[in-house]
């Protein structure tokens, strides 16, 4: 099966490090034995840490100050394209309501949307090649999607306050050649 790893050995060392800003020395770390290929890192408005792992096809939430995940989305090492599976998720954005947006981009080219408890709500889809990064502008009710291989950034209605605008393009930025 495509996108399934043959060797499923997680990283033994800490992968999430806090550095001293002045000295550059490691202050603390965690993540040993949790990740195979961590890809995206996001700190949300509450100080929670979110990590995407493209090898495990999962998204992890760590509550502020905790080293064990409080929420895991996706099934370990099982790629897919449904409410319970990702295929190499790359990025996360989290609204103040707790709504979770996951860039499921290398294989599925979608943004999967979940409620704060991790229940799938819907997907946002578009004419993208690789949905690589996402940024939520909550005040504008807009999510911007970086289509890496398509060399575009598309900003859409996030549907937080105005569900009728969910997925409607508001702006598209093209890379000049």
């Amino acid at each position: 099966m495509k996108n399934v790893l043959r060797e499923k050995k997680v990283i033994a060392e800490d992968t999430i490090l806090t550095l001293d800003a002045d000295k550059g020395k490691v202050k603390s770390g965690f993540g040993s034995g949790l990740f195979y290929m961590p890809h995206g890192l996001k700190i949300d408005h509450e100080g929670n840490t979110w990590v995407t792992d493209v090898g495990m096809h999962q998204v992890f939430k760590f509550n502020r100050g905790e080293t064990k995940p409080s929420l895991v989305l996706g099934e370990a090492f099982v790629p897919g394209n449904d409410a319970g599976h990702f295929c190499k998720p790359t990025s996360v954005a989290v609204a103040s309501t707790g709504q979770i947006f996951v860039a499921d981009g290398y294989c599925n080219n979608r943004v999967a949307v979940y409620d704060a408890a991790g229940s799938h709500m819907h997907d946002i889809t578009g004419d993208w090649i690789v949905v690589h990064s996402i940024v939520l502008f909550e005040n504008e009710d807009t999510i911007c999607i970086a289509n890496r291989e398509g060399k575009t950034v598309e900003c859409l209605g996030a549907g937080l306050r105005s569900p009728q605008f969910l997925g409607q393009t508001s702006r598209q930025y093209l890379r000049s050649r």
Side-chain angles (χ1 to χ4, degrees):
M1 183 175 178
K2 289 178 82 175
N3 299 303
V4 176
L5 298 166
R6 288 191 264 288
E7 187 178 331
K8 298 173 181 146
K9 184 179 176 190
V10 294
I11 300 169
E13 295 82 19
D14 283 343
T15 51
I16 310 295
L17 305 175
T18 301
L19 304 177
D20 180 293
D22 297 321
K23 297 180 173 106
K25 304 239 185 237
V26 176
K27 290 172 62 174
S28 64
F30 71 94
S32 172
L34 290 177
F35 305 111
Y36 179 84
M37 194 180 303
H39 188 280
L41 178 75
K42 170 74 177 176
I43 309 298
D44 70 17
H45 61 284
E46 293 180 343
N48 302 312
T49 301
W50 294 81
V51 180
T52 61
D53 190 308
V54 296
M56 294 180 76
H57 308 289
Q58 290 183 296
V59 176
F60 300 85
K61 175 188 177 186
F62 296 88
N63 290 339
R64 180 185 206 136
E66 300 293 322
T67 60
K68 301 289 183 226
S70 60
L71 178 66
V72 178
L73 301 174
E75 186 177 348
F77 297 111
V78 179
N81 187 9
D82 57 42
H85 295 89
F86 304 107
C87 188
K88 302 181 181 178
T90 56
S91 182
V92 176
V94 183
S96 61
T97 60
Q99 197 167 327
I100 307 157
F101 296 80
V102 178
D104 190 17
Y106 280 116
C107 312
N108 293 330
N109 302 316
R110 67 177 175 157
V111 175
V113 184
Y114 297 82
D115 66 17
S119 295
H120 184 260
M121 296 170 65
H122 56 267
D123 291 336
I124 301 172
T125 58
D127 188 25
W128 308 307
I129 301 169
V130 174
V131 178
H132 195 265
S133 298
I134 54 176
V135 176
L136 179 64
F137 296 96
E138 193 165 352
N139 291 341
E140 290 80 26
D141 199 8
T142 299
I143 187 160
C144 293
I145 298 154
N147 175 10
R148 189 181 79 181
E149 302 306 310
K151 300 181 178 110
T152 61
V153 174
E154 186 172 1
C155 297
L156 310 168
L160 296 169
R161 289 188 315 277
S162 304
Q164 70 272 25
F165 297 124
L166 174 68
Q168 289 187 16
T169 299
S170 60
R171 292 190 196 249
Q172 187 169 27
Y173 303 92
L174 304 171
R175 179 177 174 237
S176 59
R177 300 189 194 259

